[in-house]
Amino acid sequence: MRILLAALLVAMAALVGAPARAADMPEYPDIEIPEVDYGLSGSFYLRGSAAGNLEWAREHISTTGCVCLPPTSPGYGYSVGAGFGYETGTGLRVDVTADYLQNSGLSNGVNTLHLRGGVALANAYYDFSFGGDALSGGWGAYVGAGLGGAYYQTHVTGVGAPADGHGFSPVVAGMAGVQYDMGTVVADVGYRVMYLPQISNNTPGASSFYLNDNTVHEVRGTLRYRFQ
């Protein structure tokens, strides 16, 4: 009986002392854990483009030794293409593109060139966002440059037209434009100029012709789809 009474007294003392001890304990402030900022992230993307173009050449030469009549009117045409790229999230992005190009109408008043072919380029760009960082969305702009090559086929019409032919030319390109970032999809309208040092039918004999310092000017519309 004495043991039971002692146990009851100990339990009652613990119940009475607990609030006092709780009141003596210090209050600790709430700790807020900040969110971790992992910085901007990059993403891969697919792109598709369509453009209208204008072609011009500085000089027309034939293998007969004549510096022939220079072009008097430009050629007009179009291009369509696709590509695959990666954007780093810091404004820098790179891609590779392949385009089918067609152009007709470049003329010296006697002969007219009809050109078609494929252009492959490796490109680098820098994106400027009007809203802050490179991935903030909304309106922005970009500049870029590309290097690659073109395989083409030529067909010339008119008096004494030379034979059809084909050839390869290195290509240097420059790009600039405006874009609208919708998150998964980015749409842009831009200008691209491509420089081809020489276009020729590469046919031996008197039927050969060479067009030096060729430029193709394009207004392009592009859609990019991000893999996020």
Side-chain angles (χ1 to χ4, degrees), residues 98-122:
D99 294 84
Y100 171 77
L101 182 146
Q102 185 165 309
N103 187 279
S104 295
L106 182 69
S107 176
N108 60 6
V110 177
N111 297 123
T112 300
L113 174 68
H114 308 274
L115 182 74
R116 63 179 181 174
V119 180
L121 293 171

Side-chain angles (χ1 to χ4, degrees), residues 134-160:
L135 293 182
S136 61
W139 289 101
Y142 67 91
V143 294
L147 182 65
Y151 174 80
Y152 58 82
Q153 295 178 327
T154 65
H155 173 64
V156 179
T157 57
V159 178

